[in-house]
Amino acid sequence: MFPTPIEKRPRAAQITYQALVPLALVMWLLPLIAVALFSIRPLSDFTNGNYWGVPSSFEFFTNYGKVFLESDMPRYMLNSVLITVPTVIGAVALSCMTGFALGIYRFRGNLLIFFMFIAGNFVPFQILMVPVRDLTVDMGLYDTKLGLVLFHIAFQTGFCTLFMRNFIRALPFELIEAARVEGVAEWRIFWFIVLPLMKPAIAALAVLIFTFIWNDYFWAIVLTQGPDAQPVTAGITSFNSQFVAQYHLMSAGSIVAALPPVAMFFLMQRHFIAGLTLGAVK
Amino acid sequence: MTSTFKASIAALATTTMLAGAAGAGSHSNLEGTLRIISDMSNPAPRAIMESLAADFDAMHPNLSVELEIVDREAWKSQIRNALSANPPDVINWYAANRMGPYVDSGLFMDISDWWAAGDFAGLESVQGAMTIDGKQWGVPYTYYQWGIYYREDIFNELGLTEPATFEEEIANCQKILDAGKKCYSIGSKFLWTAGGWFDYLNMRTNGFDFHMQLAQGEVAWTDDRVRETFANWRKLIDMGAYIDDHQTYSWQEALPFVVNGEATAYLIGNFAVPHLREAGLTDDQIDFYQFPKIADVAMGEDAPTDTFHVASGATNIDAAREFLKFVTSPDVQTRINGPDGLGQLPVNANASVADDEFIQQGFEMLSQNATGGIAQFFDRDFPAEMASIGMEGLQEFMVFPDNLEDILGRLEQARQRIYK
Amino acid sequence: MTAVTDPTVPRSWMQRNRMTVTPLLFLAPGILFFAVYVIIPIFQSFYISTYEWNGLGELSEQGEFVGLRNYQELMTDRAFEVSLWNNVKWLALYLLAIPAGLFIALFLNQTIAGIRIYKSLFFFPFVLSQVVVGLVFSWFYLPREGLLNAVLGFFGLGSVNVLGDPTLATYGIIAAGLWPQTAYCMILYLTGLNAVDPEQIEAGRLDGAKGWRMLWHVILPQLKPATFIAFVVTIIGALRSFDLISVMTNGGPFGSTRVLSFYMFEKALSEYGFRMGYGSAIAVVLFLIMLVFIGYFLWQMYQDEKSARR
């Protein structure tokens, strides 16, 4: 193990280290802790210039209550869910298929198609913006959740294919050969043999895509407007204009908007990290 | 916020305003959906817009009003998208040149017929602000004066009186600075507040007509008269009259400086008054005066007009027409512009101006002391692209006055390209 | 001799070609989606960039073909120049996430009680949306209310208005961007460190390698895959920076924090007219910059594929 395990170092070093880690963590999360503190302060603290002293009262329920009851925040949150979940299902389904095709079969152009997916996944969004907006408007899907979902599915298929294909490549190929010898139809091989083995990959991708899509902002402002269809990342600006300069409410709103992906991460941590770091080790 | 207001009819039956609404029959034949996108996102205007939509909905049983309120700053970059991609029926915007781009690209509906048919009786005096190429493209619903809002109590404390000339203004400011306060609060993050300062300084230094020539691209930005305006402005900047870091704040975020008494005055529109009151200042603590005289020219004033328009892609045109008639009617005008509402001036001559210190003062100033003429505002009188580049330069000047040459050169280059 | 297949029952076309047809069928929906929304639009953007078009009506009818004039205008556009320079700053400074991530990973690669929690807490800024990160940092930087100046004041230092100062604002935004990006690189390296071969470390120790020498000669070579991925995601992240700028400064003060991605958006969807052609030209420039890196990434991956062929 590198660096040298702390247990093998002198006692003093161990104690220093154990004290240093939490300290470093607090420094690391300082901006976030600041916002969390803002979000429980009363308005009067801001008018009185008491930004960093002890809060004059604890207003957690008042502030967060306002976010949920007096703003469009719940609608934006619901929109985010209604955009994110179908995208996750769509992108994962499509990429299970593409990943299977590219990972199992050898045919001319296999690598070319694979690289096309990878390259597309890396392009800057702006090169797609004008045509995609145009296409969405022409289909009558501007300012609808469906318009966003379709684009997200398409774009995420690039990354998901890369992921799935590499995952399938690492599966024991003998299983598939054995099945073929027994005359099992190809689609049955996919459904009954490969798909069950892909469960961990599907879980990892689902968590990752959920986070990516939940956090998308650019496409939200290009393809939607207003609380009918906009997800919470875009809605937060209009939330902030409703409560402008009221830092306690804006902070509470931001924390609420960030919560679902954070919860998702802490609940599904193993899958999340497995997904992100695929390829970091060979 | 988008909602269908049918559900709340029962609650609204008690709204007394309904009875007085002009031309509202209970047997209306409007039906379908009326889609409105409004940028009235600050708390007080928001409440007004929601009640307008609810009232109108209740007046027309077969019609449902769908209201979507969007962030006012964001709307400035969304409006074109909204009008071209998924046009609603009615939207909010601004009068004068600011309508230009949407008129030119055919996104606003020509409603000259409605004006001609007498739909908007009482609005004759404001018709000009809605006219481009001899046609009308919308209706106003409110306008408001700009001027210097100040802390009366602090002025009294320091023994200051409302200044009438720029010399007095500067002398006052020096005393305020000596007392350890700043003279002016401003939040220039969204640029336009700096436009207000330029408007006044230029109108006072060179007169209303010159200001309009500049807006129309007939004068070079490198002209000596323009430089004189900036020289006057620089006097204040060099004194340290403005609060620090104003480029980081929005206009609302700069209000606490006035509320806390760290800055004593704020050049802003009357829409700021409800915010100051809400923050706990009483009418004894705040007062208003007209921007003082600089050169011997007639006094021009900024009085921006906010408007409703019908999108050319609107589907429910009948309902849109009825809605415009509704919001401009005297009763509705009186109500929404009152101190409990927008706290601004009604556009209908038959509406009554609320009995409120600031609204009255503003009305008087605009009708009697605006001898030079009434301008809309920097970002409405100048063509939109010029305004956007211009205000960026004004903000830069406020922070780095030494960059003036560079800024003027850039604006002049833009002028030559934009007006062609 | 018995035939495996009965020649009297001819195999169907489907059966004979199943090894070609199946992958095609499986690929079809994915490729269709990807082509319509990603591949074709790239070429369309190139095409649109040669037009002056306000986004209304059909490009072929309403647009005016101007050849390379949009690109010519870019050459003299000061805002474009500023954006390009800021992109260079982003690219260079964003890469700091890699050594910073490695540093934190080395720091946390221990087995004390509760270290797993620490690791995930260090990582979790990455999970936040860039919009939230932008808001969090813009409040952190506030000249009066912000914690940064509170801390500076505590140490007796003067206050700074990071986002209001055109010489500092871009760096302030990059610092905000480095926060989640460093977390990402950290987790890549933590995973990589787990897989480092202990025997090689032992061998290194026997050779007397310690500290930096060990890191440089023994550990880093084994972390190469992690470094590669970290490099890829960081470059992409740097060139995609849009959300933070939009939320934190909206390109200001006086346009000093624009980057190409933001400037393109401003031009293409602005209040005073959609300049779709001009915007597309900016996007094309950004795409070409990215293409250099994409080409490099693909070439690297191709090398890996070749050696991994089975």
Side-chain angles (χ1 to χ4, degrees):
Chain A
M1 215 175 133
F2 184 85
T4 316
I6 202 79
E7 307 90 83
K8 294 186 185 164
R9 308 280 296 271
R11 183 84 191 123
Q14 290 182 30
I15 293 170
T16 320
Y17 181 76
Q18 280 176 336
L20 219 54
V21 173
L23 196 71
L25 181 68
V26 169
M27 300 260 289
W28 182 242
L29 296 181
L30 207 54
L32 209 61
I33 295 169
V35 170
L37 278 178
F38 267 17
S39 78
I40 53 159
R41 282 179 179 278
L43 177 62
S44 59
D45 273 9
F46 291 90
T47 38
N48 297 331
N50 175 19
Y51 310 119
W52 299 111
V54 180
S56 62
S57 61
F58 177 74
E59 300 294 342
F60 175 86
F61 293 102
T62 331
N63 294 347
Y64 285 85
K66 270 203 168 141
V67 172
F68 280 105
L69 301 175
E70 289 176 31
S71 78
D72 284 335
M73 214 57 178
R75 295 187 47 158
Y76 288 121
M77 298 283 273
L78 181 66
N79 286 344
S80 277
V81 171
L82 293 178
I83 290 164
T84 308
V85 171
T87 303
V88 169
I89 295 171
V92 169
L94 283 185
S95 61
C96 280
M97 291 161 63
T98 52
F100 173 73
L102 294 172
I104 299 288
Y105 299 87
R106 285 189 186 182
F107 54 93
R108 235 172 352 131
N110 180 318
L111 213 53
L112 195 73
I113 294 175
F114 180 51
F115 276 16
M116 177 197 79
F117 278 115
I118 301 178
N121 166 53
F122 287 153
V123 300
F125 295 145
Q126 282 71 16
I127 191 90
L128 313 177
M129 188 188 100
V130 174
V132 165
R133 177 185 170 278
D134 228 38
L135 178 69
T136 308
V137 171
D138 286 348
M139 292 195 299
L141 294 178
Y142 178 79
D143 198 22
T144 61
K145 296 180 211 62
L146 181 62
L148 261 184
V149 167
L150 288 180
F151 171 78
H152 281 320
I153 290 180
F155 193 80
Q156 294 303 328
T157 300
F159 172 74
C160 294
T161 301
L162 164 67
F163 187 96
M164 286 295 192
R165 184 263 191 191
N166 283 351
F167 188 87
I168 291 173
R169 269 281 154 113
L171 293 177
F173 195 67
E174 302 76 41
L175 273 177
I176 291 149
E177 279 178 330
R180 281 197 182 132
V181 170
E182 294 198 8
V184 179
E186 295 298 314
W187 71 269
R188 290 176 139 262
I189 293 180
F190 171 69
W191 192 256
F192 293 107
I193 298 174
V194 177
L195 212 51
L197 291 173
M198 276 156 66
K199 270 183 196 153
I202 292 173
L205 263 189
V207 189
L208 269 186
I209 300 299
F210 180 92
T211 316
F212 291 166
I213 300 304
W214 186 281
N215 290 342
D216 164 72
Y217 174 68
F218 181 77
W219 292 103
I221 58 174
V222 170
L223 298 180
T224 57
Q225 69 188 24
D228 259 354
Q230 267 189 339
V232 71
T233 42
I236 192 94
T237 53
S238 94
F239 176 86
N240 284 354
S241 74
Q242 188 184 346
F243 299 107
V244 78
Q246 305 190 37
Y247 294 116
H248 57 307
L249 295 179
M250 301 205 290
S251 302
S254 310
I255 288 178
V256 168
L259 228 43
V262 170
M264 188 66 107
F265 163 67
F266 279 103
L267 290 176
M268 309 274 286
Q269 211 179 124
R270 203 166 48 84
H271 291 302
F272 192 95
I273 289 174
L276 269 186
T277 53
L278 180 91
V281 274
K282 281 260 161 63
Chain B
M1 206 204 76
T2 308
S3 11
T4 306
F5 285 97
K6 284 289 180 243
S8 48
I9 285 184
L12 290 161
T14 52
T15 314
T16 48
M17 290 306 160
L18 277 181
S26 54
H27 35 263
S28 116
N29 50 5
L30 296 176
E31 44 190 39
T33 307
L34 175 68
R35 280 185 60 216
I36 303 173
I37 299 185
S38 168
D39 69 346
M40 296 158 83
S41 58
N42 284 315
R46 187 187 176 102
I48 286 294
M49 189 62 225
E50 282 169 2
S51 75
L52 279 178
D55 289 357
F56 193 69
D57 187 273
M59 281 159 55
H60 303 281
N62 299 323
L63 179 78
S64 69
V65 177
E66 240 183 47
L67 170 67
E68 202 172 288
I69 292 179
V70 292
D71 171 34
R72 196 172 172 95
E73 296 297 342
W75 178 238
K76 292 170 185 170
S77 51
Q78 278 175 3
I79 172 176
R80 187 174 279 262
N81 225 355
L83 286 173
S84 55
N86 184 21
D89 299 303
V90 173
I91 56 133
N92 274 136
W93 195 235
Y94 310 109
N97 242 335
R98 195 96 185 244
M99 303 190 299
Y102 309 98
V103 171
D104 293 342
S105 49
L107 293 168
F108 280 174
M109 186 183 279
D110 172 8
I111 59 166
S112 305
D113 294 352
W114 306 353
W115 279 86
D119 276 19
F120 312 119
L123 266 62
E124 292 75 12
S125 61
V126 283
Q127 188 171 352
M130 306 310 301
T131 305
I132 290 182
D133 297 338
K135 295 173 190 145
Q136 286 78 47
W137 305 94
V139 295
Y141 66 89
T142 189
Y143 75 110
Y144 46 90
Q145 79 272 18
W146 269 62
I148 299 185
Y149 292 80
Y150 69 101
R151 283 289 297 270
E152 202 175 355
D153 51 343
I154 299 179
F155 264 48
N156 291 339
E157 215 173 278
L158 299 175
L160 307 175
T161 49
E162 292 186 3
T165 65
F166 199 52
E167 286 79 43
E168 289 170 34
E169 177 80 35
I170 288 177
N172 272 356
C173 181
Q174 191 56 53
K175 285 183 193 145
I176 294 165
L177 289 172
D178 292 344
K181 298 173 187 298
K182 291 289 185 181
C183 309
Y184 313 109
S185 185
I186 177 173
S188 64
K189 182 174 184 185
F190 294 104
L191 308 177
W192 51 267
T193 45
W197 274 96
F198 178 81
D199 279 353
Y200 274 102
L201 287 159
N202 197 37
M203 282 192 289
R204 293 290 183 269
T205 308
N206 296 307
F208 177 82
D209 295 336
F210 177 83
H211 187 63
M212 284 299 135
Q213 283 169 13
L214 185 65
Q216 280 147 24
E218 293 160 14
V219 183
W221 276 91
T222 45
D223 190 290
D224 278 345
R225 290 168 291 180
V226 179
R227 286 178 199 279
E228 208 186 320
T229 300
F230 281 102
N232 282 330
W233 198 350
R234 184 153 186 171
K235 288 179 195 160
L236 297 175
I237 296 169
D238 286 348
M239 290 171 77
Y242 298 97
I243 58 164
D244 295 330
D245 303 319
H246 57 79
Q247 71 273 30
T248 316
Y249 300 114
S250 66
W251 72 266
Q252 296 101 322
E253 286 168 319
L255 286 170
F257 291 90
V258 177
V259 176
N260 302 334
E262 288 168 81
T264 50
Y266 202 152
L267 175 70
I268 196 80
N270 201 54
F271 51 79
V273 173
H275 290 261
L276 292 173
R277 285 182 180 146
E278 174 128 340
L281 294 181
T282 63
D283 284 8
D284 292 336
Q285 289 176 293
I286 34 178
D287 204 349
F288 165 85
Y289 64 86
Q290 189 173 14
F291 196 96
K293 192 180 189 69
I294 298 181
D296 193 19
V297 290
M299 304 278 243
E301 288 298 322
D302 266 342
T305 307
D306 291 353
T307 55
F308 277 109
H309 303 265
V310 181
S312 50
T315 46
N316 201 344
I317 295 169
D318 291 339
R321 180 174 184 170
E322 203 55 45
F323 183 75
L324 297 194
K325 214 164 149 178
F326 169 70
V327 288
T328 52
S329 63
D331 292 331
V332 174
Q333 275 296 306
T334 305
R335 175 170 70 98
I336 66 174
N337 284 299
D340 300 333
L342 300 171
Q344 294 172 6
L345 295 163
V347 291
N348 196 314
N350 304 321
S352 44
V353 175
D355 183 21
D356 169 273
E357 185 186 344
F358 297 97
I359 304 177
Q360 287 290 347
Q361 281 193 62
F363 185 69
E364 195 185 299
M365 176 180 82
L366 291 178
S367 46
Q368 286 162 29
N369 291 342
T371 45
I374 291 181
Q376 282 293 326
F377 195 73
F378 191 91
D379 63 2
R380 310 181 190 195
D381 292 320
F382 287 71
E385 192 175 4
M386 187 70 232
S388 138
I389 297 173
M391 293 188 304
E392 214 169 87
L394 299 179
Q395 188 203 33
E396 183 173 347
F397 174 73
M398 287 190 74
V399 184
F400 297 108
D402 288 340
N403 294 358
L404 182 64
E405 276 315 305
D406 187 47
I407 296 167
L408 290 181
R410 201 181 338 146
L411 296 196
E412 177 56 19
Q413 200 186 352
R415 180 186 76 94
Q416 289 174 8
R417 177 171 58 83
I418 291 163
Y419 297 89
K420 291 226 176 82
Chain C
M1 194 189 91
T2 44
V4 178
T5 41
D6 187 348
T8 54
V9 183
R11 297 192 311 162
S12 74
W13 183 87
M14 187 65 205
Q15 269 173 334
R16 270 178 287 123
N17 293 291
R18 63 183 183 145
M19 296 307 276
T20 352
V21 174
T22 320
L24 279 182
L25 286 178
F26 271 93
L27 275 173
I31 289 195
L32 182 76
F33 258 73
F34 204 66
V36 167
Y37 272 106
V38 182
I39 303 300
I40 298 173
I42 294 175
F43 294 100
Q44 282 174 320
S45 279
F46 271 86
Y47 179 64
I48 295 170
S49 76
T50 60
Y51 278 80
E52 184 76 57
W53 181 44
N54 64 4
L56 297 175
E58 289 297 309
L59 176 65
S60 49
E61 291 159 23
Q62 303 282 325
E64 180 200 346
F65 180 77
V66 294
L68 295 178
R69 208 159 67 202
N70 285 327
Y71 294 92
Q72 257 172 2
E73 193 183 331
L74 277 183
M75 306 291 268
T76 57
D77 184 341
R78 283 216 340 209
F80 174 74
E81 201 186 310
V82 171
S83 313
L84 201 59
W85 270 114
N86 281 338
N87 264 118
V88 173
K89 287 183 200 163
W90 270 89
L91 272 178
L93 293 176
Y94 222 47
L95 289 174
L96 288 177
I98 299 175
L102 176 63
F103 176 79
I104 300 181
L106 290 173
F107 176 64
L108 289 181
N109 196 29
Q110 296 291 354
T111 45
I112 61 164
I115 195 75
R116 282 191 51 139
I117 301 285
Y118 283 122
K119 285 179 186 169
S120 32
L121 284 172
F122 263 93
F123 175 68
F124 109 93
F126 178 74
V127 184
L128 301 176
S129 133
Q130 297 249 309
V131 172
V132 174
V133 171
L135 289 171
V136 166
F137 267 82
S138 52
W139 298 329
F140 182 67
Y141 288 143
L142 277 174
R144 282 150 47 97
E145 302 86 343
L147 184 58
L148 177 66
N149 281 327
V151 172
L152 287 179
F154 182 77
F155 289 108
L157 298 164
S159 72
V160 284
N161 179 10
V162 178
L163 297 180
D165 183 340
T167 54
L168 286 182
T170 290
Y171 300 109
I173 303 175
I174 296 175
L178 278 175
W179 191 47
Q181 193 64 29
T182 302
Y184 191 0
C185 294
M186 175 203 80
I187 208 78
L188 289 172
Y189 278 122
L190 274 177
T191 315
L193 281 170
N194 262 337
V196 166
D197 182 3
E199 282 179 22
Q200 287 200 30
I201 297 182
E202 277 317 305
R205 289 220 167 94
L206 290 179
D207 287 344
K210 271 190 357 204
W212 286 109
R213 280 172 52 87
M214 172 80 98
L215 178 66
W216 189 255
H217 293 289
V218 181
I219 308 295
L220 273 185
Q222 294 193 61
L223 291 176
K224 220 174 147 196
T227 307
F228 178 67
I229 305 261
F231 183 66
V232 173
V233 295
T234 305
I235 292 286
I236 307 267
L239 288 174
R240 279 208 182 140
S241 52
F242 171 89
D243 303 3
L244 287 175
I245 295 163
S246 169
V247 169
M248 292 174 76
T249 60
N250 205 27
F254 9 103
S256 60
T257 53
R258 288 189 180 110
V259 294
L260 291 181
S261 59
F262 184 78
Y263 189 47
M264 181 275 166
F265 178 83
E266 267 191 319
K267 280 286 162 186
L269 295 181
S270 79
E271 176 199 329
Y272 41 83
F274 288 174
R275 296 191 66 190
M276 297 290 189
Y278 196 62
S280 296
I282 302 169
V284 165
V285 173
L286 180 62
F287 176 72
L288 293 178
I289 297 172
M290 195 84 108
L291 203 58
V292 175
F293 293 101
I294 296 178
Y296 167 73
F297 301 152
L298 288 182
W299 184 75
Q300 282 288 329
M301 285 179 194
Y302 181 66
Q303 300 299 318
D304 285 353
E305 282 296 321
K306 268 204 320 206
S307 56
R309 268 281 153 82
R310 64 175 173 223

